[in-house]
Amino acid sequence: MTTPIHISEFRRAIGPAHVLIEDADKQGYLVEWRDKFQGTTEVVLRPGSPQEVAKCVKIAARHGLKVVPQAGNTGLVGGQIPREDRREIVISVNRLNKIRHVDSKGYTISVDGGVKLQQLQEAAEEADRLFPLALASQGSCIISGNIATNAGGTAVLSYGNTRDLVLGLEVVMANGEIWHGMRALRKDNTGYDLKQLFIGSEGTLGIITGACLKLLPRPCAQNVALCGVDSPEQALSLFAIAKKHAGPMLTAFEIMPRLGMRFSVKHQDGLSRPLAQEHNWYVVLELSAGSPSVDLEALTEAMFGEAFEAEALEDAVLAQNGKQAADIWRLRHGMSEVQKFEGGSIKHDISVSVNKVPAFLREALAAVEALVPGCRPVPFGHMGDGNLHFNITQPEGADKQAFLARWDEVNEVVHAIVARYDGSISAEHGIGVLKRDLMAAVKSPVELEMMRAVKRALDPDNLFNPDRILRADRL
């Protein structure tokens, strides 16, 4: 528990205005947007530099205070929320928000850990470059959180996860020392690649205060289309055709069901159904040409021509301008948020091999509909890389809390099917608190002990995010 002495030390370190102790000031740091996790804390710290972060960590370590690092508070597995016992303090990096350096010729950008993803994207665009990480929450999520969770998003198909975009990191360690690893090197074989330990570590090993990231050429042209298909099997056939024609120029291939489309149109202002008829499933498809020599229109026409001939496509509309493209993406990016308006939703973030997506959907949909009669499944997401957000909205008129009380029961059924398909129960959202107790079932004893060994080596006092990813009582 914090005391007036602790508070006084923090105020001297970072200034009284950035040591939040009033409930009203702390509230936004204690609840995640899905409202599943709520916590309490005596203090939220908002340091303004890596050096101030280090000072806060040293004070916390000296007094035995546990630390929850927090970025944009957009995480979905509870890892960024302090526990309700008030024994953890929050260190937010959202004041570390400077673009440090853009190297347009070297195709790199160096930023503070508190820079918002959209701010980073805009800085790259100003330099006529592309930072390809794209998420529905990009206006509020923060790059250190993206790195700490190895965020995926809609462009993984072509550009990879966040891990593939990181060249170097700056990290405050559990002893308060700063690791200066902000190298812009594409090749460096001098021993262990230490940055990889912190990518996907969910704040359990250190606090990321800076990052050097890859930039890419901006596309010369993009085509965004909404496609109507009858089934996931048909969508998979369309994916194969699109991949054959476009190769790496196929930068997104997202699937969503008819019910999800209905929710999105119903609950988002200014949107309408782009296709004349309803379809069982929809695909958002994006092609990006990096060279002006590519005739993207001819490529798209040939792709759709083959798809119609092969009966892999029922209908499609191609965006004719930027607004139409943005509206198609709004239909997809709003898919999580619009489910809130329909009541409780039990979530899954799973992945299977791309070729197994149709079979998984068929089996998992039948299982949840049998388990919860009348439920309204809304599975959607990144079919091009096998990652689905297999969400189930409550039956109409059902009691929300009674439905949500079945979360673990429904998860168990869905995750068992994922296991049979050799998939993952956490494709891009992480483990946090929500899935911590599932780790023993999906990781071998050897893997778990390797992870514990890393945690003990870098954070021997279990200072950072205790009981996230790994159970504290088993370290």
Side-chain angles (χ1 to χ4, degrees), residues 84-98:
E84 293 183 348
D85 59 13
R86 306 180 77 89
R87 294 185 178 181
E88 298 175 336
I89 67 170
V90 173
I91 296 182
S92 168
V93 297
N94 60 17
R95 287 184 60 224
L96 281 68
N97 55 10
K98 297 181 180 63

Side-chain angles (χ1 to χ4, degrees), residues 263-444:
F263 286 175
S264 209
V265 171
K266 178 181 177 182
H267 298 297
Q268 292 195 80
D269 292 338
L271 291 182
S272 59
R273 196 177 64 207
L275 297 175
Q277 303 296 323
E278 277 199 310
H279 299 267
N280 288 332
W281 294 85
Y282 296 87
V283 167
V284 176
L285 184 152
E286 180 185 86
L287 304 178
S288 302
S291 168
S293 64
V294 175
D295 188 341
L296 202 58
E297 300 304 319
L299 189 154
T300 304
E301 183 178 346
M303 177 187 69
F304 281 155
E306 181 175 342
F308 279 119
E309 187 174 341
E311 297 184 346
L313 182 61
E314 293 186 333
D315 196 6
V317 60
L318 184 65
Q320 298 301 305
N321 53 53
K323 183 184 183 305
Q324 289 181 9
D327 284 348
I328 288 175
W329 272 118
R330 280 181 64 202
L331 290 166
R332 161 60 186 87
H333 282 315
M335 197 65 54
S336 288
E337 189 167 357
V338 295
Q339 291 172 67
K340 280 188 172 185
F341 300 101
E342 297 290 332
S345 179
I346 296 175
K347 315 285 190 181
H348 306 82
D349 167 42
I350 67 92
S351 65
V352 296
S353 299
V354 174
N355 66 313
K356 296 179 180 178
V357 167
F360 167 80
L361 282 171
R362 187 167 56 250
E363 185 173 346
L365 286 170
V368 298
E369 288 167 348
L371 182 66
V372 187
C375 71
R376 295 175 290 167
V378 188
F380 69 96
H382 322 298
M383 185 172 182
D385 59 42
N387 174 199
L388 297 174
H389 303 299
F390 191 84
N391 297 350
I392 301 103
T393 297
Q394 69 179 60
E396 288 188 273
D399 179 83
K400 179 178 178 179
Q401 295 310 315
F403 173 73
L404 292 177
R406 302 187 70 179
W407 190 293
D408 292 341
E409 179 188 4
V410 174
N411 278 182
E412 185 176 352
V413 169
V414 173
H415 290 160
I417 298 171
V418 172
R420 288 201 295 275
Y421 282 85
D422 297 319
S424 170
I425 64 167
S426 179
E428 64 178 1
H429 291 166
I431 299 298
V433 176
L434 183 66
K435 300 180 181 180
R436 179 199 59 208
D437 293 336
L438 302 178
M439 290 289 278
V442 298
K443 292 286 188 183
S444 70

Side-chain angles (χ1 to χ4, degrees), residues 7 28-29 31 58 115 126 150 155 158 169-170 246 260 277 320 346 353 441:
I7 300 298
Y29 300 85
V31 180
K58 287 180 179 179
V115 166
E126 287 176 8
N150 187 29
S158 186
L169 294 177
E170 175 186 83
Q277 303 296 323
Q320 298 301 305
I346 296 175
S353 299

Side-chain angles (χ1 to χ4, degrees), residues 104-349:
S104 58
K105 293 181 179 179
Y107 285 84
T108 68
I109 184 169
S110 296
V111 300
D112 281 356
V115 166
K116 289 183 179 179
L117 176 55
Q118 186 170 319
Q119 178 188 355
L120 200 163
Q121 294 168 336
E122 290 169 353
E125 185 175 353
E126 287 176 8
D128 194 31
R129 297 293 180 262
L130 172 72
F131 185 69
L133 182 62
L135 309 172
S137 61
Q138 61 196 32
S140 52
C141 67
I142 285 174
I143 190 60
S144 62
N146 301 145
I147 295 168
T149 56
N150 187 29
T154 58
V156 169
L157 175 60
S158 186
Y159 302 113
N161 291 301
T162 302
R163 185 181 302 279
D164 301 295
L165 303 172
V166 177
L167 291 170
L169 294 177
E170 175 186 83
V171 182
V172 175
M173 308 298 295
N175 61 2
E177 297 298 321
I178 302 175
W179 173 50
H180 298 282
M182 293 272 288
R183 301 179 185 90
L185 300 177
R186 305 280 173 153
K187 290 184 176 181
D188 182 3
N189 276 346
T190 55
Y192 305 134
D193 190 355
L194 296 175
K195 69 177 181 291
Q196 296 296 341
L197 291 173
F198 300 98
I199 304 172
S201 67
E202 300 182 45
T204 61
L205 301 179
I207 301 178
I208 297 169
T209 56
C212 182
L213 305 158
K214 297 177 185 177
L215 297 179
L216 291 97
R218 284 183 56 76
C220 297
Q222 279 189 321
N223 277 352
V224 176
L226 182 71
C227 307
V229 296
D230 179 61
S231 65
E233 286 82 2
Q234 197 176 47
L236 183 62
S237 297
L238 176 61
F239 174 71
I241 292 169
K243 193 71 173 171
K244 180 182 79 172
H245 281 268
M249 290 186 291
L250 178 63
T251 48
F253 194 93
E254 303 283 305
I255 193 171
M256 51 191 180
R258 176 172 55 192
L259 183 60
M261 174 67 78
R262 288 177 178 175
F263 286 175
S264 209
V265 171
K266 178 181 177 182
H267 298 297
Q268 292 195 80
D269 292 338
L271 291 182
S272 59
R273 196 177 64 207
L275 297 175
Q277 303 296 323
E278 277 199 310
H279 299 267
N280 288 332
W281 294 85
Y282 296 87
V283 167
V284 176
L285 184 152
E286 180 185 86
L287 304 178
S288 302
S291 168
S293 64
V294 175
D295 188 341
L296 202 58
E297 300 304 319
L299 189 154
T300 304
E301 183 178 346
M303 177 187 69
F304 281 155
E306 181 175 342
F308 279 119
E309 187 174 341
E311 297 184 346
L313 182 61
E314 293 186 333
D315 196 6
V317 60
L318 184 65
Q320 298 301 305
N321 53 53
K323 183 184 183 305
Q324 289 181 9
D327 284 348
I328 288 175
W329 272 118
R330 280 181 64 202
L331 290 166
R332 161 60 186 87
H333 282 315
M335 197 65 54
S336 288
E337 189 167 357
V338 295
Q339 291 172 67
K340 280 188 172 185
F341 300 101
E342 297 290 332
S345 179
I346 296 175
K347 315 285 190 181
H348 306 82
D349 167 42

